[in-house]
Amino acid sequence: MRFHNQTHWNPPWVAEAGTERMGEVLEILLVDDDAVDRMAICRALARADLPVEVTEVTSAEQAIANLKSRTYDCVFLDYRLPEQDGLSLIRQWRAEGVSIPLVVLTGQGDEQIAVDLMKAGASDYLVKTRVSPDRLALLLRNALRMYEAERREAKVMAQLQQTNKLLTQQNEELERQRRYIEDQNLKLLEAYRVKSEFLATMSHELRTPLNAILGFSQILDSQSKGPLTSHQAEMIKRIFTNGKNLLNLVNDILDLSRLEAQRLTLNLTQVNLHNLVQTTLLDLRSLADGKALTLKSTLQLTNPVVVNDEHRLRQVLTNLVSNAIKFTDRGQVHITLTETASDQISLTVADTGIGIAEEQLPHIFEAFRQVDQTIRRQRPGTGLGLAIVQSLVGIMGGTIVVSSKQGQGTTFVVTLPRQISLPPETFSLDTDLAAQPLTLSLHTE
């Protein structure tokens, strides 16, 4: 028997239920072997004026066949079927993936059984003696609402599971990449260590024959073993000059490799900075005179004595001043010593040279890096000077900053403590200068 209500009125509870078939006829499967009970349910649905189409079957076998061949919005199921009870049928359907609302029809006094049915997967239950249009409408509304909520929850859970799966895959890929990067870093560190050791070894081995060349060229230049022609004397001077330049380059490479390998240590002594600046400028004056540049110094330290490595301080100052002279064609190079604090000294080296482009400033302290990287560059050099200066200033506990404008000049500022603090086993100084830090500022404009 089929009961089909042709009314297409869309009651408010259908919209509230949020069904995908909102506004359409709801398909109801009624499973009951009692014709009177089936008629009572159909009449109640008709009087409720609901847009429903009811398919009536009398057995579990027919119900299963209908569910496989047709889509329903809700099933009304009699608990007491001839060949199979409602409890086992509900469990079977839920196990097979039937998720639509299942409303159990029970007799009077079967409430406890109905509770067991709901635990097995039923959406709700209805006592047959209490069937009424209003009760059926309310029950169907609640069942559909619950079904829609469960569907949304299942959809969200499926999305969460998919998201978790993707996140797990991404985490696994990130972990794989992290291990790969870590492995590559270890290989790079090993290659870096081998390179530094190679440079240090080769630099050390190269210095021995170079010192011999310089020594013999000095002996020949002194003419103690016999007179030389003017041409021979000129050649000897060129040998000595180029040998000295090569030795300076080798020393720079050796210093850089030691700094990279963290094997360079400081020999701390009391240093008079005023004297150090004056003697350094005196040594470099010939370079400035060759380009008609003015070397100026402003020394304003009330106490010029600091605790530092005199040789390394001279190296810092020489590199900065010679670099300023090299990149200045006219004007001046100005060196200033000031106290920025009671425990700091600022050394400024400023020139009026060609300046540095803004995009090049972040790279000037990189080893072997020069502003002009072309083969035909006009100003020679290896690009190690500033890299060594930055590293030396760093192990002295100081900082170095640079400012520059193209065509106007460059300014370097180095700040160092008045007294360097080293571990007791490295250095011990019994002097009142221990409480005074040094700041070295270098400006080049």
Side-chain angles (χ1 to χ4, degrees):
M1 170 183 173
R2 291 174 60 89
F3 168 79
H4 186 189
N5 184 353
Q6 296 291 343
T7 304
H8 288 275
W9 170 67
N10 186 16
W13 65 266
V14 175
E16 292 174 0
T19 63
E20 295 179 356
R21 303 182 60 181
M22 183 173 62
E24 299 180 7
V25 174
L26 297 175
E27 300 286 345
I28 306 296
L29 178 62
L30 176 58
V31 187
D32 196 330
D33 62 331
D34 191 314
V36 175
D37 291 340
R38 294 199 305 272
M39 186 176 294
I41 296 294
C42 292
R43 286 178 178 175
L45 289 172
R47 291 174 181 173
D49 199 18
L50 301 178
V52 297
E53 179 177 325
V54 181
T55 301
E56 301 178 27
V57 296
T58 60
S59 67
E61 182 179 354
Q62 292 176 338
I64 294 172
N66 279 55
L67 286 174
K68 290 180 179 180
S69 61
R70 188 173 177 181
T71 301
Y72 292 94
D73 297 296
C74 185
V75 176
F76 286 90
L77 175 65
D78 184 21
Y79 168 64
R80 299 182 182 279
L81 294 174
E83 73 281 8
Q84 188 175 4
D85 64 88
L87 182 59
S88 62
L89 187 57
I90 289 175
R91 287 173 177 170
Q92 177 184 341
W93 285 352
R94 292 309 189 203
E96 293 176 354
V98 177
S99 59
I100 61 175
L102 299 174
V103 178
V104 181
L105 303 174
T106 68
Q108 187 70 30
D110 289 338
E111 285 82 355
Q112 183 57 48
I113 296 175
V115 172
D116 295 335
L117 290 168
M118 293 183 66
K119 290 180 180 180
S123 303
D124 206 341
Y125 73 94
L126 175 65
V127 179
K128 293 181 179 181
T129 57
R130 299 177 182 175
V131 172
S132 68
D134 292 340
R135 191 179 298 276
L136 269 180
L138 178 62
L139 184 146
L140 190 56
R141 177 186 64 191
N142 291 337
L144 290 174
R145 278 180 173 175
M146 182 180 298
Y147 173 63
E148 289 299 320
E150 290 174 350
R151 285 182 58 188
R152 288 194 296 269
E153 181 182 3
K155 184 177 180 180
V156 170
M157 289 301 297
Q159 292 175 343
L160 286 176
Q161 290 175 356
Q162 181 65 21
T163 302
N164 287 337
K165 183 179 180 180
L166 291 175
L167 288 175
T168 300
Q169 293 174 348
Q170 291 174 355
N171 287 336
E172 290 174 353
E173 177 63 19
L174 287 174
E175 177 61 20
R176 187 191 66 80
Q177 293 179 2
R178 186 195 67 78
R179 290 196 299 268
Y180 174 78
I181 292 172
E182 187 178 68
D183 182 60
Q184 293 302 307
N185 284 337
L186 291 175
K187 291 179 180 179
L188 287 174
L189 288 174
E190 177 62 17
Y192 190 76
R193 182 190 65 79
V194 172
K195 182 266 296 182
S196 296
E197 290 184 355
F198 171 78
L199 288 176
T201 301
M202 290 304 298
S203 300
H204 179 74
E205 294 299 324
L206 286 172
R207 288 203 303 176
T208 301
L210 276 175
N211 284 324
I213 293 172
L214 292 174
F216 286 123
S217 63
Q218 284 180 310
I219 293 173
L220 292 174
D221 187 52
S222 69
Q223 302 188 30
S224 61
K225 304 299 180 181
L228 300 174
T229 66
S230 60
H231 179 70
Q232 289 172 334
E234 178 64 24
M235 293 301 101
I236 293 299
K237 291 184 185 300
R238 290 186 181 182
I239 292 173
F240 180 79
T241 299
N242 285 282
K244 190 174 181 181
N245 290 338
L246 184 55
L247 181 61
N248 290 335
L249 173 59
V250 171
N251 286 335
D252 283 346
I253 295 175
L254 181 60
D255 285 342
L256 182 65
S257 62
R258 286 175 175 173
L259 288 166
E260 289 178 343
Q262 299 182 347
R263 293 180 180 177
L264 189 144
T265 58
L266 300 178
N267 181 23
L268 301 186
T269 60
Q270 297 184 23
V271 183
N272 187 307
L273 281 184
H274 285 181
N275 294 340
L276 179 66
V277 171
Q278 290 170 351
T279 56
T280 302
L281 294 185
L282 185 62
D283 294 338
L284 298 175
R285 186 165 298 279
S286 61
L287 296 177
D289 292 343
K291 303 179 72 172
L293 299 177
T294 301
L295 279 183
K296 293 179 56 178
S297 62
T298 303
L299 310 179
Q300 301 176 337
L301 299 179
T302 56
N303 178 13
V305 179
V306 298
V307 176
N308 206 313
D309 186 318
E310 182 174 3
H311 170 66
R312 298 304 176 183
L313 275 178
R314 184 185 299 273
Q315 188 175 4
V316 168
L317 183 58
T318 299
N319 280 341
L320 289 171
V321 175
S322 61
N323 193 68
I325 294 173
K326 180 168 64 174
F327 290 97
T328 303
D329 296 325
R330 60 180 180 273
Q332 67 176 12
V333 176
H334 189 191
I335 295 87
T336 305
L337 273 179
T338 58
E339 290 174 330
T340 56
S342 61
D343 58 352
Q344 284 187 335
I345 295 173
S346 173
L347 172 62
T348 301
V349 176
D351 66 53
T352 57
I354 61 174
I356 304 171
E358 184 177 356
E359 63 272 14
Q360 294 290 341
L361 287 176
H363 306 292
I364 63 171
F365 293 111
E366 296 176 8
F368 303 102
R369 181 68 176 247
Q370 290 185 315
V371 174
D372 184 2
Q373 292 286 92
T374 63
I375 297 177
R376 298 180 179 178
R377 58 179 179 265
Q378 297 179 350
R379 292 171 173 83
T382 60
L384 293 177
L386 291 179
I388 292 174
V389 166
Q390 185 187 49
S391 297
L392 287 175
V393 169
I395 66 173
M396 290 176 181
T399 60
I400 180 170
V401 295
V402 58
S403 59
S404 182
K405 289 185 178 180
Q406 283 190 288
Q408 299 184 23
T410 306
T411 298
F412 285 91
V413 177
V414 175
T415 300
L416 295 173
R418 180 176 284 275
Q419 176 177 326
I420 297 178
S421 298
L422 293 179
E425 64 274 11
T426 304
F427 176 75
S428 177
L429 180 67
D430 185 12
T431 174
D432 292 338
L433 292 173
Q436 301 181 14
L438 161 69
T439 299
L440 185 61
S441 299
L442 301 162
H443 291 272
T444 307
E445 292 180 352

